[in-house]
Amino acid sequence: MDMSPYRDLFVSESRSHISAFGELILRLEDSPGESAVIDELFRHAHSLKGMAATMGYEQIVAIAHNMESQLSKVRNGEFALLPPLADLLLEGSDALARLTSEIESGSDSGEDITELVERLSSFDPTAEVHTRYPATVIHSDAESHPEPSTPRTHQFRQTDSFKSIRIRTETLDHLVNITGELITNRYRLAEAVRLADAAESQESLHQLSTLLRNLRDVVFKARMLPFAFIAERFPRLVRDLAHKQGKEIHFQLEGKEIELDRGILEEIAEPIVHILRNAVDHGMETADERVMAGKPFRGTIALTVRRDKDYAEIIIEDDGRGMDPERLKLKGIEKGLISPEQSTEMTQQEAYQLICMPGFSTTETVTDISGRGVGMDAVRETVHSLAGVLKIQSQRGHGSRFVMRLPITVSIIPALIVQSGHIEIALPLNVVIRTVELESSEITDESGRPTVTLGDKSLPIRNLRQALNLPTTPAPESDLQSVIICDIGTTLAIGVDRIVSQQEIFVRPLRSPLSHLRGISGATITGDGRVLFVADAGALA
Amino acid sequence: MSRTVMIVDDSLFMRKILRGILAEKGYVVTAEAASGIEAMKNLHTNHPDIILLDIILPDSNGLDLLGEMIAVCPNSKVVVCSSIGQPMVMQKTLELGAKAFIQKPFTPENIAEVLESLGD
């Protein structure tokens, strides 16, 4: 029988078994002995074995079979699932993941699994804990599957496999593009109707708008995935890093059911990994240091996702040592990023932002993720490119908190269209707190920096023209200046010549060489057919 | 008349393979279920000639499910299909009323042979 038509399905189903398996092992470490979890683990290994046997993938069968056998002993009460076995099972599931990827790509690394299979089959919990490779191999009775005789206590789980189908992600991307183009076209049509003064077209135009809004919502909904999609590897990452450094860390994950656009999830995974790594490497103290500081010996890192209207907030908090703003400032001066004068004027908030400046991270804070260096500057850049905002809070001795506020969908976003000099530019609305009109006299000069005072707060103000390096044109006649107050982690005021309108725009990415333009994150087409650049608000600071 | 089959397996992969084999061998798959609860719900409206049952399911003990199925549909022939190949488990399923046991991995011929042997 030709099994090749079933290969893709095998790969995707194996992956879900493998990732569920990894997650369950970690859960079991937190609450050992939970029999429903052991049953689940057993079932995943068992299903995978059956599928692989059907496809004729012997290596997967061998690993899954031995994992299943050990779990079966745990289920039987022969021994508990203690860390050495958990490690070994995770190692097994890693090998399964690699083999599955090889099947998917059609490659063959020639990985020798004999030794792993040997260790899995001969695992003996009574052997000395430190001996990972027992000198004498004890052949266990691998076939002792227990019979599931007691009814399981956990709930029935409803599956809806007949109500859903699989769609290629390219198809969904294509749908978003078409919807975006339709929205752009609607603006053009509206403009034409207005110019032609064709009142009789108003009704159908209005209907078209309503339908388009529905279409947009449905298309976006189809692209949404729960945060769990990327979160599965985080508990394992924190656990492994903590083990490696001999730190005791409890990892909490909340809100993994919150849905975000697939594209956003893909982009944000690495920044999260980076922040988590930093939290383990630098934020968290060792157990000894913690006890000395009067804290529980076990530190906590919490990753929380929550929904706030059209935004999702991803919050990474630790109860570690926190950051010292004075030390950050000193380092900033040392690196030539700020002057000593600037450092004295800096608020604590601003000092924390220093870690996101390119060049601030030293080798010790740059980690290597999938072959490329990622620092906090790259994290901030990614968040901004997704039209999001990164906030950093910290309290010395008590921990740090990173908040990434992201729109839950991409591409079609509300924006403020502003004019500066000869050009119009779109500014994503999510960073805008409010807009004000000020008289030129209200802009004062404070030690060489133009500043505006709003209420009891004084803010640095920057003209959009300078920020984007546009040629300076004579200031407009008007004595009034439009100012947009933005929150991009810190609050700042941006001066523009005129606020033109507010509308929904479909952001298209720019290709090289335009993609290298600083301060620009994309482009959009307006209702009257012009191309507008979209400002990268984060780069305006 | 072709005989009707219901497939109960939590793996879409397995269901799809079985569906392919059964179609080729001239059986009509009238229902599929990915869980015990789904299977039982189905059996209230659908009485297939044959039920192909994987006894390891996410939501239920396969042996209990087997008993319930036979109670609800005494005329359906239940064939247990599993990679648990211990004689003890096989024996138990047959005692509970299963008509045959197919060990995974199976070949299309295996399936055809076992289903043929069930008679009418």
Side-chain angles (χ1 to χ4, degrees):
Chain A
M1 185 178 171
D2 176 20
M3 300 306 281
S4 57
Y6 302 108
R7 206 186 59 179
D8 286 354
L9 192 54
F10 172 84
V11 168
S12 70
E13 207 165 299
S14 298
R15 287 229 165 97
S16 59
H17 282 301
I18 295 166
S19 65
F21 189 91
E23 209 177 297
L24 287 168
I25 290 270
L26 299 183
R27 202 196 311 164
L28 207 57
E29 282 196 320
D30 275 342
S31 51
E34 209 183 301
S35 68
V37 178
I38 296 167
D39 285 349
E40 280 270 286
L41 282 166
F42 176 83
R43 191 178 62 79
H44 287 298
H46 175 80
S47 301
L48 196 56
K49 177 175 101 173
M51 286 163 54
T54 307
M55 291 297 286
Y57 298 138
E58 298 305 332
Q59 290 188 308
I60 295 189
V61 175
I63 296 173
H65 169 73
N66 284 294
M67 287 165 69
E68 184 194 1
S69 301
Q70 295 300 347
L71 283 163
S72 146
K73 288 180 202 159
V74 174
R75 206 157 76 147
N76 259 353
E78 278 181 43
F79 45 75
L81 209 163
L82 293 169
L85 180 55
D87 282 344
L88 190 55
L89 289 172
L90 285 173
E91 215 183 304
S93 80
D94 286 347
L96 291 173
R98 283 195 301 275
L99 291 168
T100 305
S101 296
E102 282 181 17
I103 289 165
E104 185 183 35
S105 63
S107 62
D108 182 7
S109 68
E111 180 175 349
D112 186 6
I113 58 150
T114 333
E115 185 259 346
L116 173 65
V117 170
E118 186 65 48
R119 276 192 289 136
L120 272 168
S121 69
S122 62
F123 177 79
D124 177 6
T126 55
E128 206 180 321
V129 179
H130 301 293
T131 320
R132 296 294 276 283
Y133 304 87
T136 48
V137 175
I138 308 140
H139 283 280
S140 57
D141 174 22
E143 288 301 323
S144 64
H145 297 288
E147 181 187 325
S149 51
T150 46
R152 299 184 198 178
T153 49
H154 60 285
Q155 289 285 302
F156 269 66
R157 196 169 61 194
Q158 187 56 283
T159 50
D160 56 356
S161 51
F162 300 114
K163 292 182 196 120
S164 58
I165 55 162
R166 281 158 202 259
I167 299 183
R168 298 189 70 82
T169 46
E170 290 90 348
T171 312
L172 287 176
D173 290 347
H174 198 54
L175 271 173
V176 169
N177 283 346
I178 295 174
T179 309
E181 298 292 355
L182 276 172
I183 289 174
T184 304
N185 256 283
R186 194 208 67 90
Y187 278 107
R188 298 184 69 166
L189 186 62
E191 185 69 12
V193 166
R194 192 181 62 82
L195 288 177
D197 211 7
E200 65 280 10
S201 306
Q202 283 299 347
E203 173 59 26
S204 46
L205 187 65
H206 180 71
Q207 280 233 355
L208 180 65
S209 306
T210 313
L211 288 171
L212 273 177
R213 255 199 308 277
N214 285 343
L215 176 66
R216 183 202 58 189
D217 292 348
V218 173
V219 166
F220 275 153
K221 192 139 192 349
R223 277 176 57 97
M224 306 270 263
L225 284 172
F227 185 74
F229 186 68
I230 57 167
E232 276 155 1
R233 63 186 168 129
F234 299 145
R236 176 83 190 274
L237 174 91
V238 171
R239 170 193 187 271
D240 288 356
L241 282 173
H243 272 208
K244 217 185 272 176
Q245 307 200 11
K247 292 179 180 173
E248 291 278 346
I249 300 175
H250 172 64
F251 182 66
Q252 276 173 4
L253 179 58
E254 248 176 72
K256 57 181 181 172
E257 72 287 352
I258 305 280
E259 293 195 325
L260 278 99
D261 184 88
R262 182 185 63 82
I264 294 178
L265 283 177
E266 271 171 13
E267 291 287 320
I268 210 65
E270 290 204 358
I272 294 174
V273 167
H274 182 77
I275 297 175
L276 287 175
R277 262 175 193 273
N278 274 352
V280 179
D281 293 357
H282 309 294
M284 202 53 76
E285 314 93 328
T286 60
D288 289 349
E289 286 172 308
R290 291 182 63 87
V291 172
M292 295 289 285
K295 293 171 154 183
F297 76 101
R298 200 174 191 207
T300 299
I301 295 179
L303 172 57
T304 311
V305 185
R306 59 180 189 216
R307 175 93 182 254
D308 178 15
K309 282 174 242 142
D310 285 342
Y311 293 90
E313 282 189 340
I314 301 174
I315 303 159
I316 300 163
E317 260 172 309
D318 67 66
D319 64 350
R321 56 172 71 94
M323 291 188 279
D324 177 355
E326 293 311 314
R327 256 191 66 196
L328 294 175
K329 285 184 198 175
L330 281 177
K331 197 164 163 193
I333 298 170
E334 202 180 292
K335 298 265 165 194
L337 298 170
I338 49 166
S339 66
E341 293 75 43
Q342 277 174 311
S343 89
T344 53
E345 287 170 18
M346 264 188 167
T347 61
Q348 282 199 359
Q349 256 318 300
E350 287 170 324
Y352 298 138
Q353 297 295 324
L354 280 172
I355 64 168
C356 295
M357 283 179 83
F360 186 86
S361 300
T362 57
T363 42
E364 56 169 4
T365 51
V366 174
T367 47
D368 188 66
I369 303 164
S370 40
R372 58 196 164 104
V374 176
M376 280 306 295
D377 56 328
V379 170
R380 185 171 71 165
E381 208 171 286
T382 307
V383 172
H384 286 162
S385 72
L386 295 170
V389 173
L390 172 69
K391 274 189 194 160
I392 304 170
Q393 293 155 339
S394 192
Q395 202 185 344
R396 226 181 130 189
H398 296 276
S400 303
R401 179 179 152 101
F402 294 80
V403 182
M404 294 187 266
R405 186 176 160 84
L406 301 166
I408 53 169
T409 60
V410 275
S411 317
I412 302 173
I413 56 167
L416 212 54
I417 313 294
V418 298
Q419 192 188 352
S420 194
H422 293 303
I423 70 159
E424 278 183 16
I425 198 158
L427 190 68
L429 205 57
N430 68 312
V431 296
V432 176
I433 303 173
R434 64 189 178 117
T435 60
V436 284
E437 300 252 293
L438 295 176
E439 284 179 28
S440 307
S441 57
E442 288 178 86
I443 299 172
T444 54
D445 193 307
E446 296 215 356
S447 48
R449 288 168 106 190
T451 305
V452 289
T453 307
L454 294 169
D456 54 352
K457 216 174 166 195
S458 69
L459 292 172
I461 179 167
R462 199 156 184 221
N463 198 291
L464 186 62
R465 227 175 307 157
Q466 295 160 340
L468 296 174
N469 281 328
L470 296 174
T472 28
T473 45
E477 291 298 298
S478 159
D479 210 28
L480 281 176
Q481 161 106 60
S482 298
V483 176
I484 301 164
I485 313 298
C486 294
D487 181 358
I488 51 164
T490 51
T491 314
L492 90 161
I494 296 169
V496 298
D497 296 348
R498 194 164 71 92
I499 293 168
V500 183
S501 64
Q502 182 191 324
Q503 70 178 66
E504 217 170 37
I505 57 165
F506 175 45
V507 185
R508 309 297 309 261
L510 293 169
R511 299 227 176 110
S512 186
L514 289 176
S515 55
H516 301 299
L517 282 174
R518 195 174 149 66
I520 300 295
S521 63
T524 188
I525 300 172
T526 61
D528 52 6
R530 287 173 305 134
V531 174
L532 288 193
F533 284 121
V534 181
D536 169 8
L540 299 175
Chain B
M1 210 177 84
S2 345
R3 286 192 290 174
T4 54
V5 185
M6 170 157 116
I7 304 171
V8 185
D9 196 311
D10 61 324
S11 162
L12 174 62
F13 166 83
M14 281 297 180
R15 292 199 306 271
K16 210 167 164 184
I17 288 187
L18 284 169
R19 206 188 301 158
I21 296 174
L22 291 170
E24 200 178 292
K25 302 289 176 193
Y27 292 88
V28 178
V29 178
T30 48
E32 287 183 23
S35 64
I37 196 168
E38 219 177 292
M40 289 312 295
K41 216 155 100 187
N42 236 304
L43 282 184
H44 289 298
T45 49
N46 180 0
H47 292 207
D49 297 326
I50 299 165
I51 301 170
L52 270 180
L53 171 68
D54 174 14
I55 47 168
I56 302 228
L57 289 169
D59 62 351
S60 44
N61 178 322
L63 297 180
D64 292 348
L65 183 65
L66 173 62
E68 278 176 56
M69 282 180 160
I70 291 169
V72 173
C73 285
N75 295 326
S76 299
K77 291 173 173 145
V78 183
V79 175
V80 172
C81 188
S82 173
S83 47
I84 292 191
Q86 287 168 288
M88 205 172 67
V89 178
M90 280 194 203
Q91 189 55 43
K92 182 95 190 176
T93 58
L94 297 177
E95 271 169 29
L96 282 168
K99 295 287 183 243
F101 193 101
I102 298 174
Q103 166 102 49
K104 288 181 188 171
F106 45 71
T107 61
E109 288 65 41
N110 272 164
I111 303 264
E113 205 180 296
V114 172
L115 297 191
E116 289 300 308
S117 74
L118 295 176
D120 294 321

